[in-house]
Short mmCIF file of all heavy atoms in Angstrom, two decimals:
data_model
loop_
_atom_site.label_atom_id
_atom_site.label_comp_id
_atom_site.label_asym_id
_atom_site.label_seq_id
_atom_site.Cartn_x
_atom_site.Cartn_y
_atom_site.Cartn_z
N GLN A 21 24.27 -5.78 13.62
CA GLN A 21 23.81 -6.84 12.74
C GLN A 21 23.78 -8.19 13.42
O GLN A 21 22.86 -8.99 13.24
CB GLN A 21 24.65 -6.90 11.51
CG GLN A 21 24.47 -5.69 10.54
CD GLN A 21 25.51 -5.70 9.42
OE1 GLN A 21 26.67 -5.43 9.63
NE2 GLN A 21 25.07 -6.06 8.25
N PRO A 45 -0.07 8.88 39.39
CA PRO A 45 1.09 9.64 39.87
C PRO A 45 1.45 9.19 41.29
O PRO A 45 0.64 8.99 42.12
CB PRO A 45 0.53 11.08 39.94
CG PRO A 45 -0.62 11.11 38.97
CD PRO A 45 -1.20 9.73 39.06
N LEU A 59 8.15 29.25 41.93
CA LEU A 59 9.15 28.85 40.87
C LEU A 59 10.57 28.79 41.46
O LEU A 59 11.34 27.88 41.13
CB LEU A 59 9.12 29.81 39.69
CG LEU A 59 10.06 29.55 38.57
CD1 LEU A 59 9.82 28.17 37.94
CD2 LEU A 59 9.96 30.60 37.45
N GLY A 71 20.42 12.76 38.81
CA GLY A 71 20.07 11.96 37.67
C GLY A 71 19.39 12.76 36.57
O GLY A 71 19.30 13.99 36.63
N GLU A 97 14.60 12.69 40.14
CA GLU A 97 14.85 11.98 41.39
C GLU A 97 15.28 13.00 42.48
O GLU A 97 16.16 13.81 42.23
CB GLU A 97 15.91 10.94 41.20
CG GLU A 97 16.16 10.05 42.43
CD GLU A 97 15.02 9.15 42.73
OE1 GLU A 97 14.29 8.75 41.76
OE2 GLU A 97 14.81 8.80 43.91
N ALA A 129 11.50 14.73 20.93
CA ALA A 129 12.04 15.98 21.45
C ALA A 129 11.90 17.15 20.45
O ALA A 129 11.67 18.29 20.85
CB ALA A 129 13.54 15.78 21.74
N ARG A 137 12.63 26.34 24.12
CA ARG A 137 13.68 27.32 23.83
C ARG A 137 13.12 28.72 24.06
O ARG A 137 13.76 29.60 24.60
CB ARG A 137 14.21 27.12 22.44
CG ARG A 137 15.32 28.10 22.10
CD ARG A 137 15.83 27.95 20.67
NE ARG A 137 16.41 26.64 20.43
CZ ARG A 137 15.91 25.69 19.67
NH1 ARG A 137 14.77 25.90 19.07
NH2 ARG A 137 16.54 24.52 19.53
N THR A 149 13.24 9.36 23.83
CA THR A 149 12.76 7.96 23.97
C THR A 149 11.99 7.57 22.70
O THR A 149 11.95 6.37 22.39
CB THR A 149 11.82 7.85 25.21
OG1 THR A 149 10.82 8.88 25.18
CG2 THR A 149 12.57 7.93 26.46
N LEU A 163 4.21 7.42 23.06
CA LEU A 163 4.58 7.28 24.46
C LEU A 163 3.74 6.28 25.17
O LEU A 163 4.30 5.39 25.94
CB LEU A 163 4.50 8.61 25.16
CG LEU A 163 4.83 8.64 26.63
CD1 LEU A 163 6.31 8.18 26.86
CD2 LEU A 163 4.64 10.00 27.25
N LEU A 215 19.21 -0.83 23.58
CA LEU A 215 20.10 -0.34 22.56
C LEU A 215 21.51 -0.88 22.77
O LEU A 215 22.23 -1.18 21.78
CB LEU A 215 20.13 1.21 22.53
CG LEU A 215 18.87 1.88 22.03
CD1 LEU A 215 18.90 3.38 22.31
CD2 LEU A 215 18.70 1.64 20.47
N LYS A 217 22.22 -3.78 24.13
CA LYS A 217 22.19 -5.17 23.64
C LYS A 217 22.31 -5.29 22.13
O LYS A 217 22.99 -6.23 21.60
CB LYS A 217 20.90 -5.84 24.06
CG LYS A 217 20.77 -6.12 25.59
CD LYS A 217 19.41 -6.74 25.90
CE LYS A 217 19.27 -6.96 27.35
NZ LYS A 217 17.89 -7.50 27.68
N GLU A 227 22.67 10.61 17.32
CA GLU A 227 21.40 11.19 16.90
C GLU A 227 20.93 12.29 17.91
O GLU A 227 20.52 13.34 17.58
CB GLU A 227 20.31 10.12 16.77
CG GLU A 227 20.52 9.17 15.64
CD GLU A 227 20.52 9.84 14.29
OE1 GLU A 227 19.58 10.65 14.03
OE2 GLU A 227 21.37 9.55 13.47
N ALA A 233 22.46 19.98 18.78
CA ALA A 233 23.27 20.96 18.04
C ALA A 233 22.53 21.69 16.95
O ALA A 233 23.02 22.69 16.42
CB ALA A 233 24.45 20.23 17.45
N ARG A 240 9.81 29.57 7.12
CA ARG A 240 9.48 28.93 5.82
C ARG A 240 9.38 29.99 4.71
O ARG A 240 8.83 31.05 4.96
CB ARG A 240 8.14 28.18 5.94
CG ARG A 240 8.15 26.95 6.84
CD ARG A 240 6.86 26.19 6.73
NE ARG A 240 6.81 25.09 7.64
CZ ARG A 240 7.29 23.87 7.35
NH1 ARG A 240 7.85 23.66 6.17
NH2 ARG A 240 7.18 22.87 8.21
N LEU A 259 -3.58 32.21 -7.54
CA LEU A 259 -2.57 32.00 -6.54
C LEU A 259 -2.36 33.28 -5.70
O LEU A 259 -2.09 33.21 -4.46
CB LEU A 259 -1.26 31.52 -7.14
CG LEU A 259 -1.17 30.07 -7.61
CD1 LEU A 259 0.11 29.83 -8.31
CD2 LEU A 259 -1.28 29.08 -6.35
N LEU A 265 -5.23 36.17 0.92
CA LEU A 265 -6.18 35.70 1.95
C LEU A 265 -5.38 35.07 3.13
O LEU A 265 -5.69 35.26 4.24
CB LEU A 265 -7.15 34.72 1.38
CG LEU A 265 -8.31 35.31 0.59
CD1 LEU A 265 -9.11 34.23 -0.12
CD2 LEU A 265 -9.26 36.16 1.48
N LEU A 294 -10.40 29.97 -6.40
CA LEU A 294 -10.90 29.38 -7.63
C LEU A 294 -12.02 30.27 -8.25
O LEU A 294 -12.17 30.33 -9.47
CB LEU A 294 -11.41 27.99 -7.34
CG LEU A 294 -10.31 26.96 -6.96
CD1 LEU A 294 -10.99 25.60 -6.56
CD2 LEU A 294 -9.33 26.78 -8.12
N ALA A 302 -21.03 37.84 -3.75
CA ALA A 302 -20.54 36.58 -4.35
C ALA A 302 -19.62 35.78 -3.41
O ALA A 302 -19.69 34.56 -3.37
CB ALA A 302 -19.78 36.96 -5.67
N GLN A 335 3.96 41.01 -10.41
CA GLN A 335 3.95 40.71 -8.99
C GLN A 335 3.12 39.43 -8.65
O GLN A 335 2.98 39.10 -7.48
CB GLN A 335 3.41 41.87 -8.19
CG GLN A 335 4.30 43.10 -8.27
CD GLN A 335 3.75 44.28 -7.50
OE1 GLN A 335 2.96 44.12 -6.53
NE2 GLN A 335 4.18 45.52 -7.83
N THR A 344 15.22 23.82 -5.25
CA THR A 344 16.60 24.01 -4.74
C THR A 344 17.42 22.72 -4.71
O THR A 344 18.62 22.77 -4.43
CB THR A 344 16.53 24.63 -3.29
OG1 THR A 344 15.81 23.74 -2.45
CG2 THR A 344 15.88 25.99 -3.30
N ALA A 361 18.92 5.18 -12.39
CA ALA A 361 19.45 3.86 -12.09
C ALA A 361 20.21 3.87 -10.76
O ALA A 361 20.07 2.94 -9.98
CB ALA A 361 20.37 3.39 -13.24
N LEU A 363 19.59 5.87 -8.26
CA LEU A 363 18.63 6.03 -7.19
C LEU A 363 17.91 4.73 -6.91
O LEU A 363 17.68 4.36 -5.69
CB LEU A 363 17.60 7.12 -7.57
CG LEU A 363 16.51 7.41 -6.50
CD1 LEU A 363 17.18 7.92 -5.20
CD2 LEU A 363 15.49 8.43 -6.99
N GLU A 375 16.14 -3.06 6.96
CA GLU A 375 15.34 -4.26 7.45
C GLU A 375 16.26 -5.20 8.20
O GLU A 375 15.84 -5.79 9.22
CB GLU A 375 14.70 -4.94 6.22
CG GLU A 375 13.58 -4.12 5.59
CD GLU A 375 13.06 -4.73 4.33
OE1 GLU A 375 13.61 -5.80 3.87
OE2 GLU A 375 12.05 -4.22 3.78
N CYS A 394 22.55 10.73 -5.18
CA CYS A 394 22.37 10.01 -6.45
C CYS A 394 22.26 11.01 -7.62
O CYS A 394 22.66 10.74 -8.73
CB CYS A 394 21.22 9.10 -6.43
SG CYS A 394 21.42 7.65 -5.34
N ARG A 411 28.60 13.34 4.68
CA ARG A 411 28.90 14.22 5.84
C ARG A 411 28.40 15.61 5.54
O ARG A 411 27.85 16.29 6.40
CB ARG A 411 30.38 14.12 6.15
CG ARG A 411 30.73 14.50 7.57
CD ARG A 411 32.20 14.22 7.83
NE ARG A 411 32.43 12.79 8.08
CZ ARG A 411 33.15 11.99 7.28
NH1 ARG A 411 33.79 12.51 6.18
NH2 ARG A 411 33.31 10.70 7.53
#
Side-chain angles (χ1 to χ4, degrees):
Q21 288 172 286
L59 180 60
E97 184 68 29
R137 182 183 295 113
T149 50
L163 179 59
L215 290 168
K217 289 179 182 177
E227 292 296 314
R240 292 186 184 275
L259 284 172
L265 283 171
L294 293 173
Q335 295 182 23
T344 57
L363 182 61
E375 291 175 353
C394 292
R411 202 169 285 116

